[in-house]
Amino acid sequence: MVSDRTILITGTSSGIGAWCAEALRRDGWRVFATARRPEDRQTLETKGIEAFYLDYAEPESIAALVDDVLERTGGSLDALFNNGAYAQAGAVEDLPVDALRYQFEVNVFGWHDLTQRIVPVMRRQGRGRIVHCSSILGLIPIKYRGAYAASKHALEGLMLCQRAELEGSGIHISLIEPGPIESKIASNGLPWFERYIDHDNSVHREAYEGQLARLRQGGVKSRFKLGPEAVYARLSHALLSPRPRPHYVVTTPARIGVALKRLLPARMLYRFLSNQG
């Protein structure tokens, strides 16, 4: 058991975050988890997980979270797993600036704020692991996912630069890039699509009908979709390996996408991707 190891993990109300929080607890970590709804935090507490409120779009909640966690640990933290996010669907030409701005507020700026508050703690310790749950869409583009893909591309660039800047500090940064994983990210994204995208008056209306059907059924049904345990396997390596990788690509479709990006000419790659989704 490694109960002296501490980790802060965000977005743990369901899906990847919930699975990883419970698995980390079973593996002996002291887990500090976040969720917005009180009932989700109560569920986590009953499982022996210390739960806190966090909304990445509320800087004051980020500051309060860090203060509360560090008070409980005596000022130390071994690992941070940034996971909480949402996916704004819709064609780029239909995307209001406010929708794109809020996507970045949650998926990029909030993650940066939390990470920036944790790095000095880890510098004082001379060690730490920071893992970001990115997406295969942070590496390759898919139509109707422009806002989400842009936020993940930004995350990749920002955190890979920080990874280089932390070289030799004892702090390691890794990015997990999942493809299709069983989670609620599709259904959770539906209200944001309906709020911001005028799908009835869009030139993409016909395509949106299929998109809406998939969102309402919880995402694409595929034999290649894996459970959140697939992400946890990579997270464990990133947290415990003496040489954690910069990138962990998860699921067969994601690995195929990375391989095609490496092998195909750009025009051919983008033509292929335009027929997906």
Side-chain angles (χ1 to χ4, degrees), residues 116-134:
Q116 193 174 42
R117 293 173 187 274
I118 296 300
V119 166
V121 176
M122 293 181 173
R123 278 196 180 276
R124 288 195 297 270
Q125 299 167 171
R127 58 179 173 78
R129 301 293 171 99
I130 299 173
V131 184
H132 302 285
C133 194
S134 182

Side-chain angles (χ1 to χ4, degrees), residues 15-252:
I16 292 170
W19 177 278
C20 290
E22 292 184 39
L24 286 162
R25 171 64 178 168
R26 288 194 302 269
D27 286 348
W29 289 75
R30 184 180 181 186
V31 180
F32 304 101
T34 75
R36 285 182 296 175
R37 296 186 302 180
E39 57 268 31
D40 292 331
R41 298 197 297 275
Q42 181 60 42
T43 298
L44 291 163
E45 292 279 358
T46 62
K47 296 176 180 178
I49 297 168
E50 297 169 69
F52 303 83
Y53 174 80
L54 171 68
D55 187 327
Y56 277 124
E58 299 175 3
E60 63 275 12
S61 76
I62 299 173
L65 167 68
V66 173
D67 288 345
D68 290 345
V69 168
L70 294 181
E71 183 178 4
R72 295 196 187 190
T73 65
S76 66
L77 189 70
D78 294 304
L80 167 65
F81 181 35
N82 270 315
N83 170 71
Y86 80 98
Q88 173 69 60
V92 173
E93 65 186 288
D94 292 335
L95 196 65
V97 172
D98 283 348
L100 185 61
R101 182 177 289 117
Y102 194 74
Q103 179 80 105
F104 269 66
E105 188 67 46
V106 174
N107 289 15
V108 182
F109 303 144
W111 288 38
H112 173 63
D113 189 348
L114 179 55
T115 303
Q116 193 174 42
R117 293 173 187 274
I118 296 300
V119 166
V121 176
M122 293 181 173
R123 278 196 180 276
R124 288 195 297 270
Q125 299 167 171
R127 58 179 173 78
R129 301 293 171 99
I130 299 173
V131 184
H132 302 285
C133 194
S134 182
S135 169
I136 187 58
L137 297 188
L139 302 177
I140 60 174
I142 296 291
K143 61 187 178 182
Y144 307 123
R145 296 294 183 270
Y148 184 69
S151 73
K152 293 302 185 180
H153 272 75
L155 178 72
E156 295 271 338
L158 186 68
M159 298 309 174
L160 287 173
C161 286
Q162 186 172 53
R163 184 179 188 275
E165 294 156 6
L166 291 170
E167 186 73 31
S169 69
I171 306 171
H172 299 276
I173 288 184
S174 297
L175 293 135
I176 299 176
E177 286 105 359
I181 297 289
E182 293 287 352
S183 74
K184 291 185 178 180
I185 192 166
S187 56
N188 288 343
L190 179 59
W192 297 103
F193 177 83
E194 293 177 328
R195 175 177 178 177
Y196 282 117
I197 305 301
D198 185 9
H199 48 87
D200 286 335
N201 297 306
S202 170
V203 296
H204 299 280
R205 179 178 178 178
E206 185 175 340
Y208 283 156
E209 290 177 1
Q211 294 283 313
L212 279 167
R214 285 192 286 274
L215 287 173
R216 286 168 179 153
Q217 71 178 9
V220 175
K221 303 298 182 183
S222 169
R223 62 189 178 93
F224 295 111
K225 184 176 282 190
L226 300 180
E229 65 275 9
V231 175
Y232 183 64
R234 277 55 170 200
L235 174 61
S236 294
H237 190 276
L239 293 175
L240 299 174
S241 171
R243 297 183 64 188
R245 302 170 192 163
H247 300 277
Y248 293 86
V249 179
V250 187
T251 75
T252 297

